[in-house]
Amino acid sequence: MKYLAKLKKIMLIVLLPFVSYGILGPLEIFFGNEKDFAFRYTDFAWSFIGISVLAWLLVSALLAILPEKVLGMVGALLLGLGTASYIQNMFMNIKLSEVDGSPMRWEELGVFPIVNILIWLIIVATVFAVYFFLKKYWDMFAMAVPGFLSAVQLIAAVSLLITASPADNGIELQVSGEKQFTVAPNENIIVFVLDTLGNTNLERMLDAYPDAIDGLKDFTFYDNADCHYYCTFPSMTHFLTGEDFDFEMQSQDWMRQAWESERASRFWSELKESDYSCRLFASEIGYVYGDINNLTVAFDNVEPMETTVKQGQLLSLFTKMSVYRYVPYLLKPGFEVLTKEFDEIVQYIDGGEITTDNGLFYQELKKQGLTIDGSEQNALTIQHLAGIHQPYTLNADADIVEEASVEETTRGLMVIVDDYLQKLRDLGVYDQATIIITADHGAWYGDDTQPIFFIKGSNETHEELQVNTAPVSLDDFQATILEIIGKDYSQYGTSIYDWAEGDIRDRTVYMRMTDDAYPAVEGSSFNVYYQYSYSTNKEELNRKVGEGPEAVLPATPW
């Protein structure tokens, strides 16, 4: 067979994997998670398309050099793998856990990866069976299958590009980290949100490191705090706006409504009328808070900034993520990408990157220290760190390591907080500062559903840490802050100071879950909320969780 004839036969087969892995895969990842990214599709899409086309032509040209029989075997193998990849992405990724920035919990899959690889082998074997035993149909089969699957995916890719929002000029609203390590000269309200850190994990850490919270002697530890919502979405938007999640609204619509609500606008206006600058230092803005414009009502560090993108690193991450979607489960761990890996993709031209990784935050804290910003009077600062999200890469001394235990990471977080507090003392602003150390929610596993909650009021001192069992909640945040600054909070519910030990309080927790009994939700890796109500403490809540949800609320699309 002549070279051109062989080239014609192999080109369509080779096209299929390049369309899957190099074109549709990256586009679907981006547009399916656009809210989570601080870059635009134009920063990578045309590069992927160009590279894929060139690679397709080059690989086809090289394979066409092979002898006809060898080429036929290679073609059958490529078609089998390409078809299996398509089926994997379309139908067999159902066991992937929620993409929340944490590693996949591979140990929960049981025998499914073995079943998955057997399906791959069956698909590849079927293609080879057609090649060897249905020879007269092979040419038609080798054109129809890759042609159809490539066409379906190309149509999907073109549709995504046609409906994409226009690219901007690289100057857009961003959350600036320029003042992440500054404080105000007068009154400071500093809120540390240590993601996922619950009371039970705190207790386990203290068993290993009994002196870990000795530096918090001026604080009161509320060991019966409730988060109302698990996970970070919708917990943080609820926490900062006071608006209850609407289970019948699309997520993006609810976040916009919450931030535009009269309550949220009034709360943040009261702070600013009291000469408080308000700053949020957090990642995953789109996922947690919706459109970044939502935050302009509250935070002074949301501003137009010129950005640049690390193209090489971005292409590498998207390649890994695309391969992750298409390969069988046994190979997926080698291509897993965590949310934190995108933190340094976008850089601000004039500086101002935010640091939310535990170890990197501590490195910057030691490098920069804290400074007083004399251009402001008072400040509310929210530092949302990775906390005990996996992987655990913070050791007990707050050093960055390859792997650590959850107890070591929790201890390391306390080292970071202690150092921050000492720097406040060194600046002479610690005594009058109000400092809250909490979490947006507890852990998703075991008996750790309640978040930690420590608070030190202005000029509050003790000989040792105070422990209070009052039934408080993140619902109380706004009222508590307004009480601290001397404002009427009657329209915002209750302050934590309105609750006493022994009080009975009805509280409800909604936990985002994936339930196979309910349909999947487009654009989301979870599909339901489990509801649990309790009136006393975490022991009752943990018992309720063990018994199963009292109600299941279907999730809505993003």
Side-chain angles (χ1 to χ4, degrees):
M1 184 183 295
K2 292 183 179 180
Y3 177 83
L4 290 179
K6 291 190 291 182
L7 179 63
K8 181 179 177 181
K9 290 187 67 171
I10 197 64
M11 283 187 75
L12 206 52
I13 293 176
V14 175
L15 178 63
L16 176 57
F18 282 107
V19 170
S20 299
Y21 288 80
I23 297 177
L24 182 61
L27 290 176
E28 282 190 331
I29 291 167
F30 176 80
F31 288 111
N33 303 275
E34 187 173 4
K35 63 186 180 298
D36 300 334
F37 298 130
F39 47 85
R40 301 164 295 280
Y41 74 93
T42 51
D43 290 318
F44 69 91
W46 308 124
S47 296
F48 266 110
I49 292 171
I51 292 170
S52 297
V53 170
L54 290 175
W56 164 53
L57 296 174
L58 179 61
V59 171
S60 298
L62 291 175
L63 289 178
I65 299 173
L66 297 173
E68 184 177 352
K69 288 186 177 180
V70 176
L71 181 64
M73 296 277 288
V74 172
L77 178 61
L78 287 177
L79 181 53
L81 295 176
T83 303
S85 294
Y86 177 85
I87 293 173
Q88 178 74 43
N89 183 51
M90 291 296 294
F91 306 109
M92 293 194 291
N93 283 337
I94 56 174
K95 294 292 185 178
L96 295 181
S97 60
E98 181 178 339
V99 181
D100 62 356
S102 300
M104 171 68 186
R105 297 179 285 282
W106 303 107
E107 69 280 359
E108 298 179 3
L109 294 177
V111 299
F112 189 81
I114 304 301
V115 174
N116 183 215
I117 202 69
L118 289 175
I119 294 172
W120 271 67
L121 292 174
I122 291 170
I123 294 170
V124 174
T126 300
V127 174
F128 270 100
V130 174
Y131 175 72
F132 282 114
F133 303 114
L134 299 173
K135 205 73 173 179
K136 65 179 181 178
Y137 298 110
W138 171 251
D139 287 347
M140 181 177 64
F141 182 82
M143 292 184 65
V145 173
F148 174 75
L149 296 182
S150 296
V152 168
Q153 293 182 97
L154 285 172
I155 290 170
V158 170
S159 176
L160 289 172
L161 292 172
I162 289 175
T163 57
S165 302
D168 54 42
N169 59 3
I171 299 176
E172 56 187 79
L173 283 179
Q174 299 283 352
V175 179
S176 171
E178 183 180 358
K179 295 188 176 182
Q180 186 166 12
F181 297 97
T182 67
V183 293
N186 299 322
E187 300 291 334
N188 285 281
I189 301 173
I190 299 166
V191 182
F192 275 99
V193 180
L194 306 180
D195 209 300
T196 315
L197 182 51
N199 288 333
T200 301
N201 269 322
L202 181 74
E203 292 167 3
R204 290 169 181 158
M205 182 274 293
L206 289 173
D207 288 340
Y209 303 97
D211 62 344
I213 57 175
D214 286 356
L216 304 182
K217 68 180 184 63
D218 295 328
F219 286 72
T220 298
F221 173 39
Y222 285 86
D223 67 352
N224 187 14
D226 181 79
C227 62
H228 203 138
Y229 300 103
Y230 161 88
C231 276
T232 307
F233 166 84
S235 180
M236 284 304 295
T237 286
H238 165 72
F239 179 37
L240 299 178
T241 67
E243 292 293 319
D244 288 335
F245 183 61
D246 189 328
F247 292 95
E248 296 182 356
M249 290 185 70
Q250 291 196 359
S251 301
Q252 293 288 328
D253 292 339
W254 172 74
M255 286 188 283
R256 181 176 60 254
Q257 176 178 286
W259 286 101
E260 292 177 351
S261 68
E262 191 275 335
R263 171 175 174 149
S265 298
R266 187 175 67 244
F267 170 73
W268 294 101
S269 293
E270 293 210 52
L271 278 164
K272 292 174 182 180
E273 289 168 4
S274 299
D275 294 322
Y276 275 84
S277 299
C278 301
R279 296 186 287 265
L280 170 71
F281 302 105
S283 59
E284 299 185 278
I285 296 300
Y287 160 64
V288 179
Y289 304 106
D291 191 293
I292 194 168
N293 287 283
N294 294 343
L295 299 181
T296 56
V297 68
F299 300 110
D300 299 308
N301 63 324
V302 178
E303 53 193 74
M305 302 188 72
E306 187 176 1
T307 61
T308 185
V309 175
K310 293 182 178 178
Q311 293 258 341
Q313 190 173 343
L314 180 60
L315 292 177
S316 174
L317 289 176
F318 263 75
T319 298
K320 286 182 66 177
M321 292 174 73
S322 184
V323 173
Y324 180 82
R325 289 165 65 97
Y326 285 100
V327 298
Y329 282 85
L330 287 176
L331 299 180
K332 287 185 188 294
F335 298 96
E336 191 172 20
V337 174
L338 304 180
T339 304
K340 62 184 290 185
E341 296 183 58
F342 283 95
D343 288 349
E344 296 182 358
I345 289 291
V346 176
Q347 292 185 308
Y348 302 152
I349 298 297
D350 297 321
E353 287 83 5
I354 288 174
T355 301
T356 59
D357 177 83
N358 302 323
L360 294 178
F361 177 88
Y362 192 40
Q363 287 182 354
E364 286 299 312
L365 178 62
K366 290 189 292 185
K367 176 183 176 181
Q368 297 187 33
L370 294 178
T371 57
I372 292 177
D373 184 351
S375 67
E376 56 191 18
Q377 296 296 314
N378 313 305
L380 167 64
T381 302
I382 299 172
Q383 303 274 11
H384 190 160
L385 300 185
I388 61 166
H389 260 301
Q390 293 176 303
Y392 307 128
T393 56
L394 191 76
N395 69 12
D397 296 318
D399 297 321
I400 298 175
V401 295
E402 287 291 326
E403 186 175 355
S405 68
V406 63
E407 291 81 12
E408 289 171 330
T409 293
T410 306
R411 166 59 172 158
L413 289 168
M414 295 302 111
V415 170
I416 295 171
V417 170
D418 280 348
D419 197 356
Y420 193 99
L421 299 182
Q422 184 56 52
K423 285 177 168 52
L424 292 176
R425 294 186 186 96
D426 295 341
L427 290 175
V429 297
Y430 170 82
D431 290 340
Q432 66 267 37
T434 296
I435 303 165
I436 296 172
I437 306 165
T438 187
D440 48 346
H441 55 84
W444 59 82
Y445 49 82
D447 54 354
D448 198 27
T449 48
Q450 285 193 326
I452 63 168
F453 194 95
F454 296 83
I455 185 169
K456 180 197 84 72
S458 178
N459 296 309
E460 180 179 357
T461 60
H462 310 131
E463 290 298 320
E464 60 182 20
L465 175 73
Q466 307 295 296
V467 179
N468 193 317
T469 62
V472 302
S473 171
L474 296 188
D475 292 0
D476 304 329
F477 175 73
Q478 289 183 335
T480 301
I481 296 299
L482 291 177
E483 181 176 7
I484 286 168
I485 67 173
K487 293 280 190 175
D488 176 19
Y489 63 89
S490 57
Q491 298 181 65
Y492 296 86
T494 57
S495 160
I496 63 168
Y497 301 116
D498 292 329
W499 297 95
E501 296 186 293
D503 283 351
I504 300 297
R505 182 181 186 181
D506 293 331
R507 291 174 291 177
T508 301
V509 179
Y510 296 96
M511 302 185 72
R512 279 172 30 189
M513 304 294 289
T514 300
D515 191 323
D516 293 339
Y518 290 80
V521 175
E522 183 180 358
S524 177
S525 54
F526 63 94
N527 63 345
V528 295
Y529 292 86
Y530 285 175
Q531 176 182 313
Y532 305 94
S533 297
Y534 67 113
S535 58
T536 55
N537 53 31
K538 72 175 183 178
E539 283 71 27
E540 181 190 3
L541 175 58
N542 292 335
R543 178 174 58 80
K544 293 286 187 72
V545 171
E547 293 171 353
E550 62 193 45
V552 180
L553 304 173
T556 56
W558 279 94

